[in-house]
Amino acid sequence: MKAGSRNFAAFAYHGGALDVARALAPAAPEPWVDLSTGVNPHSYPLPDLAPEVWTRLPTGQALAGLEAAAGRRYGAPPEAIVAGPGSQALIQALARIAPPGAVGILGRTYGGHAAAFAAAGADVSRAELLEDLEECGVAVVVNPNNPDGRIAPRSSLLALAGRLAARGGRLVVDEAFADFDGAGESLASKLPAAGAVVLRSFGKTFGLAGLRLGFAVASPDIRGRLSAALGPWPVSGPAIAIGTRALADFAWTEAIASRLARDAARLDALLSEEGWRILGGTRLFRLAARPDAAQAFERLLMAGVLTRPFPDMADRLRFGLPGTETEWARLAAALLA
């Protein structure tokens, strides 16, 4: 196999595909070190759950309690919150209820938005500047951006939202990584009266991606349609119980944010020592460049370390944070190989 060729293509959509990694590198040592997702490697401690959480359908009251907890966490009124089974499901639903017109997405970013809107029949294009989005039916901004961590100022996003709303357009701001980076620029607490949606990820922040829980903070003209698009019981009983508790635990988030900052600095140092140039990122991932990144991805893959490649940026890899000292040691050894 030519180094980096088929492997890059196999991971063109998203990270976390360990089944694909195992198929491409069946001789790689187990367990895999998955650094491809940008999920917090230090997960929130799971509480004991009452049996009825598993055996009964969740009540509307329980869902309302979860959305109220999300509102307190994000500084938004509970009536603006829509809970869903992961932010990706919310992206898919938003694409289905989008107003007519072209969809513009700011910069190289998470590919799930373009894929969802294209699947819904929209004409999707990439914009390089915020002002290039003003004529779109839907404008999408990932803030902080994935994979480079770029942060758009809240004032600029509010101005864009107002101009879009005035002509019937919509702004979608994906704040999947805003809990640890760029919180001061979040649009969630400054939601305009119409035409805007903010997405927040629970799984990435709390290291519980398998729980499948995410939130939209939506203006009144969008919230009802979005809830209807998700249907009844959009969130499982266990996700409601765990999410409600975790969202209220601000002390845990503050402590883990400090730890993640130290981990990100440690990762920067490790990569720099091995000749990588740090291009940016957040506390949950780092974007690094080296001319032989495609070959490095291949070597890491064969060592059982999965990173995130970009077929259109073959000199770059995104690295999530190792969660244990064993994982740090395996990454360091694989980078030396």
Side-chain angles (χ1 to χ4, degrees), residues 127 170-171 297:
R170 180 175 301 170
L171 174 64
F297 172 79

Side-chain angles (χ1 to χ4, degrees), residues 155-283:
S155 58
S156 299
L157 294 174
L158 285 170
L160 174 61
R163 288 191 288 269
L164 287 168
R167 38 184 301 278
R170 180 175 301 170
L171 174 64
V172 177
V173 183
D174 184 342
E175 297 184 355
F177 295 99
D179 283 305
F180 298 125
D181 296 87
E185 304 298 340
S186 172
L187 212 63
S189 63
K190 302 290 184 182
L191 196 69
V197 183
V198 171
L199 299 173
R200 299 296 286 254
S201 170
F202 177 88
K204 290 182 176 65
T205 298
F206 291 93
L208 298 172
L211 196 66
R212 307 312 303 139
L213 178 61
F215 299 94
V217 187
S219 53
D221 56 313
I222 300 171
R223 187 189 187 282
R225 294 192 64 206
L226 181 55
S227 293
L230 292 173
W233 307 295
V235 180
S236 72
I240 290 174
I242 294 169
T244 302
R245 176 168 174 165
L247 288 166
D249 195 344
F250 287 86
W252 182 88
T253 313
E254 183 178 349
I256 210 69
S258 298
R259 181 174 183 178
L260 292 171
R262 295 192 297 271
D263 287 351
R266 179 180 179 181
L267 182 56
D268 282 354
L270 176 61
L271 293 171
S272 297
E273 288 172 3
E274 299 306 322
W276 292 85
R277 181 166 56 96
I278 308 301
L279 302 179
T282 71
R283 290 187 224 196

